[in-house]
Amino acid sequence: MTEKKLTRKEKSEINKRLHAEITKERACPDIHVEKEPETQAEQKALFCELIAQCVSIDKAARRVGVNHRFIYEWLDEDEEFSKDYTRARERQADHLVGEIIQISDDGEGDLISDENGERVNHEVVARSRLRVDSRKWIAAKLRPRTYGDSTKIDATVSGSMTTKIIRDDIK
């Protein structure tokens, strides 16, 4: 069975859906902040919470009202903030793993119906695979012990060594 090429209209529809999905992800509509941060401690706490929710450093910094350069200064100067940031990144990895499960379970758009019946929508499947692989890679970098590839090296060395001393001065 040969695959029918997508029409421009079908491609446009697919691209619109993918664009809407990506835009929805970037907009982070689930971020809800009770009140604006008033102190630097509140800014730091809110920033770490946003990082844990997979918001980029730039967006999170803008959201708390600072330039992203301040974040790096805080990381260098404030040990407690640095620890909180590390924990937030670990929580971010856990959040990404949850997204991987959602993406993997979501089969919407995987099939296209046309006059020849239903067939696999390879563009949507490839995009989902890319989204999963990207999140897996980031999670493995953020929490390598938990989500990274396990490499264990076990080596046993045994043997003996013989030494022979040769003296040149004996004839």
Side-chain angles (χ1 to χ4, degrees):
M1 182 169 129
T2 61
E3 282 191 28
K4 178 188 167 244
K5 288 194 174 195
L6 295 175
T7 65
R8 284 186 182 191
K9 185 176 180 180
E10 289 172 325
K11 285 181 183 179
S12 176
E13 233 4 84
I14 291 168
N15 287 333
K16 283 179 189 176
R17 275 187 280 149
L18 289 174
H19 180 71
E21 188 176 315
I22 292 167
T23 303
K24 184 178 84 175
E25 271 183 27
R26 288 184 184 154
C28 304
D30 56 339
I31 295 173
H32 177 69
V33 178
E34 296 293 323
K35 64 175 191 142
E36 294 297 317
E38 296 174 7
T39 65
Q40 191 176 71
E42 289 176 348
Q43 286 177 315
K44 291 177 179 181
L46 177 57
F47 176 82
C48 286
E49 186 56 39
L50 293 172
I51 290 298
Q53 295 176 25
C54 298
V55 178
S56 71
I57 289 176
D58 289 337
K59 284 183 182 180
R62 279 195 307 266
R63 180 63 190 88
V64 300
V66 299
N67 188 300
H68 70 276
R69 289 190 303 255
F70 284 108
I71 302 302
Y72 298 111
E73 289 176 16
W74 291 347
L75 286 168
D76 291 338
E77 297 167 0
D78 185 345
E79 190 173 323
E80 188 62 32
F81 174 68
S82 184
K83 289 178 184 177
D84 291 344
Y85 177 77
T86 300
R87 282 191 294 273
R89 284 294 191 184
E90 290 172 352
R91 288 179 24 227
Q92 183 183 50
D94 296 337
H95 182 84
L96 290 170
V97 170
E99 287 184 352
I100 288 170
I101 293 167
Q102 289 176 343
I103 293 166
S104 299
D105 290 345
D106 181 16
E108 187 177 334
D110 288 356
L111 297 176
I112 297 176
S113 296
D114 59 14
E115 62 274 355
N116 297 328
E118 285 192 338
R119 61 185 175 86
V120 175
N121 185 342
H122 293 288
E123 289 183 48
V124 171
V125 172
R127 171 63 66 184
S128 293
R129 183 178 300 118
L130 176 63
R131 293 175 67 213
V132 166
D133 288 345
S134 299
R135 284 161 175 78
K136 279 180 8 185
W137 184 83
I138 293 169
K141 297 301 177 191
L142 292 172
R143 292 190 77 177
R145 285 182 143 172
T146 306
Y147 301 118
D149 292 332
S150 176
T151 55
K152 185 177 179 182
I153 299 173
D154 189 11
T156 305
V157 178
S158 63
S160 62
M161 188 163 110
T162 307
T163 307
K164 188 175 185 180
I165 299 173
I166 302 173
R167 295 183 59 186
D168 288 341
D169 58 346
I170 301 177
K171 290 187 180 185

